[in-house]
Short mmCIF file of all heavy atoms in Angstrom, two decimals:
data_model
loop_
_atom_site.label_atom_id
_atom_site.label_comp_id
_atom_site.label_asym_id
_atom_site.label_seq_id
_atom_site.Cartn_x
_atom_site.Cartn_y
_atom_site.Cartn_z
N GLU A 773 27.70 -21.38 13.68
CA GLU A 773 27.00 -21.28 12.40
C GLU A 773 26.21 -19.99 12.27
O GLU A 773 26.13 -19.41 11.18
CB GLU A 773 26.06 -22.48 12.23
CG GLU A 773 25.38 -22.55 10.88
CD GLU A 773 24.56 -23.81 10.70
OE1 GLU A 773 24.68 -24.73 11.53
OE2 GLU A 773 23.79 -23.87 9.72
N ILE A 774 25.66 -19.50 13.35
CA ILE A 774 24.81 -18.31 13.27
C ILE A 774 25.62 -17.03 13.14
O ILE A 774 25.37 -16.20 12.26
CB ILE A 774 23.88 -18.22 14.50
CG1 ILE A 774 22.87 -19.36 14.48
CG2 ILE A 774 23.15 -16.87 14.52
CD1 ILE A 774 21.97 -19.39 15.71
N SER A 775 26.62 -16.87 14.00
CA SER A 775 27.31 -15.58 14.06
C SER A 775 28.70 -15.59 13.45
O SER A 775 29.35 -14.55 13.38
CB SER A 775 27.38 -15.10 15.52
OG SER A 775 27.90 -16.09 16.37
N GLY A 776 29.20 -16.75 13.02
CA GLY A 776 30.49 -16.79 12.34
C GLY A 776 31.66 -16.90 13.30
O GLY A 776 31.53 -17.34 14.44
N ALA A 777 32.83 -16.45 12.83
CA ALA A 777 34.07 -16.63 13.57
C ALA A 777 34.43 -15.41 14.40
O ALA A 777 34.07 -14.28 14.06
CB ALA A 777 35.20 -16.94 12.59
N LEU A 778 35.16 -15.65 15.46
CA LEU A 778 35.73 -14.56 16.25
C LEU A 778 36.73 -13.79 15.40
O LEU A 778 37.46 -14.36 14.60
CB LEU A 778 36.42 -15.14 17.49
CG LEU A 778 37.15 -14.16 18.41
CD1 LEU A 778 36.98 -14.57 19.86
CD2 LEU A 778 38.64 -14.06 18.07
N THR A 779 36.78 -12.48 15.62
CA THR A 779 37.83 -11.66 15.03
C THR A 779 38.51 -10.86 16.13
O THR A 779 37.89 -10.55 17.15
CB THR A 779 37.27 -10.67 13.98
OG1 THR A 779 36.35 -9.77 14.61
CG2 THR A 779 36.56 -11.41 12.85
N ILE A 780 39.78 -10.55 15.91
CA ILE A 780 40.49 -9.69 16.85
C ILE A 780 41.44 -8.81 16.05
O ILE A 780 42.06 -9.26 15.09
CB ILE A 780 41.25 -10.47 17.93
CG1 ILE A 780 41.84 -9.50 18.98
CG2 ILE A 780 42.29 -11.40 17.33
CD1 ILE A 780 42.31 -10.19 20.25
N SER A 781 41.49 -7.55 16.44
CA SER A 781 42.29 -6.57 15.71
C SER A 781 43.09 -5.72 16.70
O SER A 781 42.57 -5.26 17.70
CB SER A 781 41.37 -5.67 14.88
OG SER A 781 42.10 -4.76 14.10
N PHE A 782 44.38 -5.54 16.38
CA PHE A 782 45.33 -4.79 17.21
C PHE A 782 45.32 -3.35 16.68
O PHE A 782 45.94 -3.03 15.69
CB PHE A 782 46.71 -5.43 17.05
CG PHE A 782 47.80 -4.90 17.93
CD1 PHE A 782 49.06 -5.47 17.89
CD2 PHE A 782 47.58 -3.86 18.83
CE1 PHE A 782 50.09 -5.01 18.70
CE2 PHE A 782 48.59 -3.40 19.64
CZ PHE A 782 49.86 -3.97 19.57
N ASN A 783 44.62 -2.45 17.40
CA ASN A 783 44.27 -1.17 16.78
C ASN A 783 44.94 0.07 17.36
O ASN A 783 44.93 1.12 16.73
CB ASN A 783 42.75 -0.99 16.81
CG ASN A 783 42.06 -2.01 15.93
OD1 ASN A 783 42.68 -2.58 15.03
ND2 ASN A 783 40.79 -2.24 16.18
N ILE A 784 45.50 0.00 18.55
CA ILE A 784 46.22 1.13 19.13
C ILE A 784 47.45 0.59 19.87
O ILE A 784 47.35 -0.40 20.60
CB ILE A 784 45.33 1.95 20.11
CG1 ILE A 784 44.12 2.53 19.40
CG2 ILE A 784 46.14 3.08 20.75
CD1 ILE A 784 43.15 3.28 20.31
N PHE A 785 48.60 1.26 19.67
CA PHE A 785 49.82 0.79 20.33
C PHE A 785 50.73 1.96 20.63
O PHE A 785 50.92 2.85 19.81
CB PHE A 785 50.56 -0.19 19.42
CG PHE A 785 51.74 -0.88 20.07
CD1 PHE A 785 51.58 -1.53 21.28
CD2 PHE A 785 52.99 -0.88 19.47
CE1 PHE A 785 52.65 -2.18 21.89
CE2 PHE A 785 54.07 -1.52 20.07
CZ PHE A 785 53.90 -2.18 21.28
N HIS A 786 51.26 1.94 21.86
CA HIS A 786 52.25 2.95 22.26
C HIS A 786 53.39 2.23 23.00
O HIS A 786 53.15 1.51 23.97
CB HIS A 786 51.61 4.00 23.18
CG HIS A 786 50.49 4.75 22.54
ND1 HIS A 786 50.67 5.60 21.46
CD2 HIS A 786 49.16 4.78 22.81
CE1 HIS A 786 49.52 6.11 21.11
NE2 HIS A 786 48.58 5.63 21.90
N TYR A 787 54.59 2.46 22.52
CA TYR A 787 55.80 1.84 23.07
C TYR A 787 56.77 2.95 23.43
O TYR A 787 57.04 3.84 22.62
CB TYR A 787 56.41 0.91 22.02
CG TYR A 787 57.70 0.21 22.40
CD1 TYR A 787 57.70 -1.15 22.70
CD2 TYR A 787 58.92 0.89 22.43
CE1 TYR A 787 58.89 -1.82 23.01
CE2 TYR A 787 60.11 0.24 22.76
CZ TYR A 787 60.08 -1.12 23.05
OH TYR A 787 61.25 -1.76 23.37
N THR A 788 57.29 2.90 24.68
CA THR A 788 58.28 3.89 25.13
C THR A 788 59.53 3.15 25.61
O THR A 788 59.64 1.93 25.46
CB THR A 788 57.72 4.75 26.27
OG1 THR A 788 57.62 3.95 27.45
CG2 THR A 788 56.35 5.32 25.92
N ASP A 789 60.43 3.89 26.22
CA ASP A 789 61.67 3.29 26.72
C ASP A 789 61.42 2.26 27.81
O ASP A 789 62.26 1.38 28.04
CB ASP A 789 62.58 4.38 27.30
CG ASP A 789 63.14 5.29 26.22
OD1 ASP A 789 63.32 4.82 25.09
OD2 ASP A 789 63.40 6.48 26.53
N THR A 790 60.31 2.35 28.51
CA THR A 790 60.11 1.51 29.69
C THR A 790 58.79 0.75 29.73
O THR A 790 58.55 0.00 30.70
CB THR A 790 60.18 2.37 30.97
OG1 THR A 790 59.18 3.40 30.89
CG2 THR A 790 61.57 3.01 31.11
N GLU A 791 57.94 0.92 28.74
CA GLU A 791 56.66 0.21 28.79
C GLU A 791 55.98 0.23 27.42
O GLU A 791 56.34 1.01 26.54
CB GLU A 791 55.71 0.86 29.81
CG GLU A 791 55.34 2.29 29.48
CD GLU A 791 54.47 2.93 30.54
OE1 GLU A 791 54.24 2.29 31.59
OE2 GLU A 791 54.00 4.06 30.32
N PHE A 792 55.01 -0.66 27.26
CA PHE A 792 54.13 -0.55 26.09
C PHE A 792 52.72 -0.97 26.47
O PHE A 792 52.51 -1.66 27.47
CB PHE A 792 54.65 -1.32 24.87
CG PHE A 792 54.66 -2.83 24.97
CD1 PHE A 792 53.49 -3.58 25.10
CD2 PHE A 792 55.86 -3.53 24.88
CE1 PHE A 792 53.51 -4.96 25.15
CE2 PHE A 792 55.90 -4.91 24.94
CZ PHE A 792 54.72 -5.63 25.08
N ARG A 793 51.79 -0.50 25.68
CA ARG A 793 50.38 -0.87 25.84
C ARG A 793 49.76 -1.04 24.46
O ARG A 793 49.81 -0.13 23.62
CB ARG A 793 49.61 0.19 26.63
CG ARG A 793 48.10 -0.10 26.78
CD ARG A 793 47.40 0.93 27.65
NE ARG A 793 47.86 0.82 29.04
CZ ARG A 793 47.27 0.04 29.95
NH1 ARG A 793 46.22 -0.70 29.62
NH2 ARG A 793 47.73 0.01 31.17
N GLY A 794 49.17 -2.20 24.25
CA GLY A 794 48.45 -2.47 23.02
C GLY A 794 46.98 -2.69 23.30
O GLY A 794 46.62 -3.42 24.24
N SER A 795 46.12 -2.05 22.52
CA SER A 795 44.67 -2.14 22.72
C SER A 795 44.04 -2.90 21.57
O SER A 795 44.33 -2.63 20.40
CB SER A 795 44.06 -0.74 22.83
OG SER A 795 44.61 -0.05 23.94
N PHE A 796 43.16 -3.83 21.92
CA PHE A 796 42.59 -4.76 20.95
C PHE A 796 41.07 -4.67 20.93
O PHE A 796 40.44 -4.37 21.95
CB PHE A 796 42.99 -6.20 21.31
CG PHE A 796 44.47 -6.45 21.24
CD1 PHE A 796 45.30 -6.03 22.26
CD2 PHE A 796 45.03 -7.09 20.16
CE1 PHE A 796 46.67 -6.25 22.21
CE2 PHE A 796 46.39 -7.32 20.09
CZ PHE A 796 47.22 -6.90 21.12
N ASP A 797 40.52 -4.96 19.78
CA ASP A 797 39.07 -5.01 19.60
C ASP A 797 38.73 -6.39 19.05
O ASP A 797 39.11 -6.74 17.95
CB ASP A 797 38.62 -3.92 18.63
CG ASP A 797 37.11 -3.81 18.51
OD1 ASP A 797 36.43 -4.84 18.63
OD2 ASP A 797 36.61 -2.69 18.29
N SER A 798 38.02 -7.18 19.86
CA SER A 798 37.61 -8.52 19.44
C SER A 798 36.10 -8.60 19.36
O SER A 798 35.40 -8.12 20.25
CB SER A 798 38.14 -9.58 20.42
OG SER A 798 37.75 -10.87 20.01
N ARG A 799 35.60 -9.21 18.30
CA ARG A 799 34.17 -9.43 18.12
C ARG A 799 33.92 -10.93 18.29
O ARG A 799 34.48 -11.75 17.56
CB ARG A 799 33.71 -8.92 16.76
CG ARG A 799 34.16 -7.48 16.44
CD ARG A 799 33.61 -6.46 17.44
NE ARG A 799 34.22 -5.15 17.30
CZ ARG A 799 33.61 -4.10 16.74
NH1 ARG A 799 32.39 -4.23 16.25
NH2 ARG A 799 34.22 -2.93 16.68
#
Side-chain angles (χ1 to χ4, degrees):
E773 186 175 349
I774 293 176
S775 52
L778 177 143
T779 62
I780 187 166
S781 184
F782 187 177
N783 294 339
I784 299 176
F785 188 52
H786 300 294
Y787 178 107
T788 71
D789 291 330
T790 58
E791 63 183 6
F792 68 64
R793 177 176 292 270
S795 299
F796 297 78
D797 186 327
S798 180
R799 310 299 169 105

